[in-house]
Amino acid sequence: LLHLGEWGKLRQLSDQSLRAFEWNEATLPIRLHYQIIMGWLYIEACDFAGAKVHCEKALSESLAAKATFISVHCSAIMGRALLGLGDHTGAIQCFDTVFKAEKNEALPIFWNYFYPACQGAGETWLSLGQLGKARHYAQRLHDLSVGAPERTYLALSHRLFAEISMEEKVLEEAGLHVAEALGIVENVEAPLAAWRVYATAAKLYRLRGAPELANAFECRKQKAIDQLIGSLQESDLLRKNLWT
C-alpha cells in the first residue's frame, strides 16, 4: 500500500492493527513496526519532523532483547528523516548503522530496508557534494533493485545517477538515466518514484534550455503528487505537506 500510493488504506489498516495489538506485550515488535511504517509514510509525504517523532517512539519503546533489531530497521527510516531536516551528520550515522548490521550474520534484517538506506545515503552524500560516495550508493541501490519485481527503487537509482551527472555537468549521461527512469515510471505503478523522476526530468530540461519540456514535466510531477494527495482523507494533515 505504501509503494502503490494507497496511503489512506495504509493508514486505516495500520490503525486497525495497532488497536488489535495494543495491549498484548508479546506483539510489541508489531506495534513498534507500526511506528517505523508510519515514519516511512511521513517521509514519503515530506513530513520529516513527524517521521522523526515516529522513529523516536519506536526506539524509546523497544525492549532490550529487541533493541538492536528495531534500531537497525528504524535507522534506515530515521536517516532519511534527519536528511530532510538538514542533519547530515545524524543521517550518515543512521545509514552506517544499517550497513554495519549487514555484516552481522546473527542479526536477521529485512532486506527491503536496505532500499531506503541506500537511497538516503546516496542523497545525503550528493547534498554534501561528495559525488563519488553518492555514486557508490546509487550503484548499490541499482544493484539491489535491478532483479526485484518492485520497480520503484530501480527508477530512483537512475534518478540519483542523473542528479549526480548533472552536478558533474555531464548532461548527456544524465539524459540517459532520466530516460531509463521515465521508462519505468511510465509503464508501472511506482508513485513514490514518479514525482521525483518527473522533477529531475524538469531540472534536466531547464539546464538544456528547453523550458517548454521542463514545464511539461513539472505538470506531470504535480499530477503524480495529486494522486498521492487524493489517496488520503481530506482531514489528513499529510496532505498539507504534499501540497507544499
Side-chain angles (χ1 to χ4, degrees):
L1 293 175
L2 175 69
H3 288 79
L4 286 173
E6 297 288 350
W7 291 354
K9 292 181 181 178
L10 172 62
R11 285 276 221 188
Q12 182 181 22
L13 184 63
S14 296
D15 288 345
Q16 289 173 352
S17 71
L18 182 64
R19 287 193 296 271
F21 297 120
E22 189 169 10
W23 303 112
N24 188 341
E25 194 64 34
T27 59
L28 178 64
I30 297 175
R31 286 187 279 125
L32 297 181
H33 194 248
Y34 164 87
Q35 301 294 347
I36 298 174
I37 288 294
M38 285 299 101
W40 199 338
L41 170 62
Y42 274 55
I43 283 169
E44 299 301 345
C46 300
D47 183 351
F48 304 111
K52 183 172 179 282
V53 169
H54 278 291
C55 290
E56 287 175 339
K57 190 168 185 179
L59 291 171
S60 66
E61 294 183 3
S62 60
L63 297 174
K66 297 288 184 180
T68 302
F69 179 80
I70 293 298
S71 174
V72 169
H73 294 88
C74 195
S75 291
I77 309 304
M78 177 68 96
R80 290 186 62 200
L82 294 178
L83 171 60
L85 294 170
D87 182 359
H88 296 88
T89 300
I92 291 169
Q93 289 174 346
C94 285
F95 298 133
D96 283 347
T97 296
V98 181
F99 299 131
K100 287 178 182 176
E102 183 180 8
K103 302 173 184 178
N104 184 356
E105 297 181 357
L107 182 66
I109 301 174
F110 295 134
W111 273 94
N112 53 319
Y113 282 87
F114 283 103
Y115 294 118
C118 289
Q119 176 191 353
E123 291 174 348
T124 302
W125 289 115
L126 173 61
S127 67
L128 290 171
Q130 297 286 332
L131 302 186
K133 292 181 178 179
R135 188 173 288 277
H136 168 77
Y137 286 107
Q139 189 64 55
R140 279 216 62 187
L141 182 61
H142 177 274
D143 293 346
L144 281 171
S145 57
V146 69
E150 164 60 52
R151 302 279 88 184
T152 295
Y153 296 99
L154 184 60
L156 288 171
S157 73
H158 284 294
R159 173 198 173 260
L160 187 51
F161 277 129
E163 292 283 350
I164 295 167
S165 296
M166 282 188 279
E167 285 295 313
E168 294 172 336
K169 312 298 183 185
V170 186
L171 299 189
E172 183 177 352
E173 181 179 328
L176 294 175
H177 285 294
V178 165
E180 289 284 351
L182 288 171
I184 295 169
V185 300
E186 292 176 353
N187 286 285
V188 299
E189 286 292 322
L192 301 194
W195 74 268
R196 292 175 171 89
V197 169
Y198 293 141
T200 297
K203 178 180 177 180
L204 174 64
Y205 282 107
R206 279 194 296 270
L207 290 173
R208 284 180 166 177
E212 291 184 1
L213 279 172
N215 290 337
F217 279 112
E218 283 288 350
C219 289
R220 291 163 85 172
K221 179 191 79 171
Q222 189 57 52
K223 185 177 180 180
I225 292 173
D226 289 345
Q227 178 184 343
L228 294 171
I229 291 173
S231 76
L232 295 164
Q233 293 185 4
E234 290 190 6
S235 60
D236 198 317
L237 295 178
L238 288 180
R239 291 168 65 97
K240 180 181 179 182
N241 290 281
L242 283 167
W243 277 118
T244 56

